[in-house]
Amino acid sequence: MSNLAAERAARTDGRATLLRTLDVLSMPALAMFLGFLGGAIIIWITSGSLETVGAAYAGLINGAFFKQRGFSETLVAMTPYVFLGLGLAIGFKAGLFNIGVEGQFYIGAISAVWAGVAFPGLPAIIHLPLVILAGALGGALWAGIPGFLKARTGAHEVITTMMMNYIAFRLAEFVVSLPLRDPLSTAVQTLRVSPNAELWSLWQIPERLADPLNALGVALFCALCAFVIVRWLAPHARRVVVGGIVFATGAIAFIALPPLVKVWWLFDDQYDRLHIGIILALVAAAVVWWLMYKTTLGFEMRTVGANPNAARYAGINISRNIIVTMAISGALAGIAGTIEVLGVSICRCLPLFFSSGYGFDSIALALLAKNNPIGIVGGAFLWGAMRNGADLMELNSGVSKYIISLIQGLVLLFVAAPAVVRYLLRMRAPSKTEAEAPLTRGWG
Amino acid sequence: MRTKIFVFAALLTLVALALAACAAPAATTGKLRVGLITDVGGVNDKSFNQSAWEGAQKGAKEFGWDIKFIESKQPTDYEKNIDQFATEKYDVLITVGFLMGDATAIKAKQYPNIKFAIVDNAYFPTKGVAYCDDTKKDCYDDGGLKNVTSLMFQEDQVGFLAGVLAGGMTKTGTVCTVSGMEIPPVVRFVVGFQNGAKWIKPDVKTLNVYIPSFIDPAKGKETGQSMIAQGCDVVFGVGGNTGNGGLLAAKEKGLMAIGVDVDQYNTYPEVKGALLSSAAKNVDAAVYNYLKSVNAKSSKAGVFTANLQNGGVGLAPFHDWDSKIPQTVKDKIKTATEDLKSGKLATGYK
């Protein structure tokens, strides 16, 4: 009898989880749906034919997923979105609207290029982490300034980060045109970073792993992942066991991976631009999730975001929290810039005029994902797919690729105003009060 | 109820997406297919990209080919956009702009069966450049860019003529250029312009600012205004939409302006009252002639330079200003044109 009851309880529990998940997913999904519907109507009205709508969306899907290198390009476009979305989400969670991610993206890119140029001859195992660190540090410092100003003087971060954007753009132009300029190139661009500082393209991996030092780096990375996974699955495992598994993973990776990828490797197309940044992005999402939900710092950040007065009463240092949050947010944005320069930019350098628009798109993305790191990965995938598929859409149907921004804008509108969606679809308002913190607090 | 609606919406989306994916038309006709990739300026930039697109359209229409364009949103898009056309099996690709040089070379080597034409970029063997280093004699036949035609312009010649016009018309003795990014074609215009102005009026003062963008008319206007404040009364806008901002600044102050790339009297009528002329480079004609040679199966790899001698560059008509420009200035322009053609006069660009 009791067995039966437990089983039943477990079943309802499972169902409740499923329903809750569906519930969480429903609003973004509906917003996406309505966004695309709105886009379709606009294409229909402007082109005057339903066929164009079909051709446009067919091109979008084909370009994003099915055509040659389409899927890789989607992942390439998705990578910076993940970092930027995470950066924004951390800010939002702590009640800060970091509108300056675009500028921090630039500063990250400059810092990374500087670190990549300044230390030629370092092996990749040191140089690659170094450039990423430099990018993160650059972004963190740049975002830390508005954080400091807010903590000390109360200057609103929306204003200061936005202003810092323009300073960042002009600073980037200065650095590209003078101190770091490549004197041999006719184009205005920085020097090329050392080959060891480049982010590896996936097709290069067999070649890169042939160097034992690189193999060691990858082995260390695998061992670290193994450590995290083991600790997560079996938190109380004995130290010896954990150590053994971690060491074994590392050793196997070090010995077996290089010959293995030489024999068989999925990516042999040397024009495929997919690079290891996507792996770093997934790792970053996991780290941010851990930071936000499993650490004291994350708890404090969320508390400050939910109710600063309660946080202060509970003895949380608000000023420190604001600065740290902004710095982490900026660091993530800086890594996004680093990855674009070291992995995608054709000259592996920062050209003058490197505008991306990634930063501003990401604001919509973070809102769509409700600041959930897993949601951000999903949303970034969608955003990347749309950005990438838009070209083929334009090519096949003649619909301007800027319709994508319009669809994203509609999605944002519907996400930001769930009441509109509920009204449009005649849905009941949720019975419980929404247990969400306000996205950002008012002025002053 | 809510769940049902959600499920319904999700299903509807899936069906719509599936239908859309099935409806994908795979048009394969015997016609040649031409693709054009613009720089970040876009096909409606009132100057350079627009002119290339017009020339390409004219050619495609005449020879009955299909033609499409993709606009680049950012420099990392160049490669991807070329690839979009290439994987869709296009036959001829036109890339517009110096900044697309690297991407075009790399893709041209990847797709040796596609013909490429690049506007404004010539390839020279350069140390350390992977696709054409300094061990090669030239980049085209020896260096492997056998399917690439570079369409170049001697902007310094027409820039010189614009400078003569500006130097002849200035009352304050100061002429200025609102320039885009500091890349060779822009530099050629600017250097030619300054030397032309000095040729007709040795004590003329020249001002110039390079703005690192071709799509920033606000900054162009601001720069134009600050140079006007320094006494400049003829503004030469060299740099797509950024330069257009400079023209607008001159128009609003009731001063004189000179357009660039195309006859901007037609493409940018808002400023026509101020427009003395335009330093036109006939990108449309160059692209059209290239397509004509493709049609005649006589297109060749290498550099094709348009200059005063072959009519590829030249000053646009004076339009409304025709009666207001003194005959002496017109004569000087004529002399300069003849002397530049015959080589008696150098523009000073090296």
Side-chain angles (χ1 to χ4, degrees), chain A residues 33 58 67 69 387 391 401, chain B residues 13 20 71 74 83 87 111:
Chain A
F33 171 72
K67 78 173 284 181
R69 291 190 277 277
R387 190 184 177 106
D391 298 317
K401 69 174 85 167
Chain B
T13 317
E71 295 181 338
Q74 62 175 100
D83 213 56
T87 49
Y111 296 105

Side-chain angles (χ1 to χ4, degrees), chain A residues 19 41 57 61 67 76 83 94 107 114 127 184 189 199 210 217 237 241 293 299 321 324 374 393 407 424 441:
Chain A
L19 275 179
I41 291 171
Y57 282 176
I61 292 164
K67 78 173 284 181
V76 170
F83 282 105
I107 298 296
W114 172 77
H127 210 172
L184 289 178
Q189 59 191 34
L199 223 51
V241 180
Y293 296 103
F299 176 75
N321 241 285
V324 170
I374 301 160
M393 176 188 83
I407 293 175
L424 281 176
R441 285 188 301 276

Side-chain angles (χ1 to χ4, degrees), chain A residues 84-85 88-89 92 361-372 376:
Chain A
L84 292 166
L88 275 154
F92 281 138
D361 289 359
S362 303
I363 296 172
L365 166 64
L367 292 174
L368 173 71
K370 296 192 168 175
N371 304 324
N372 177 325
I376 283 178

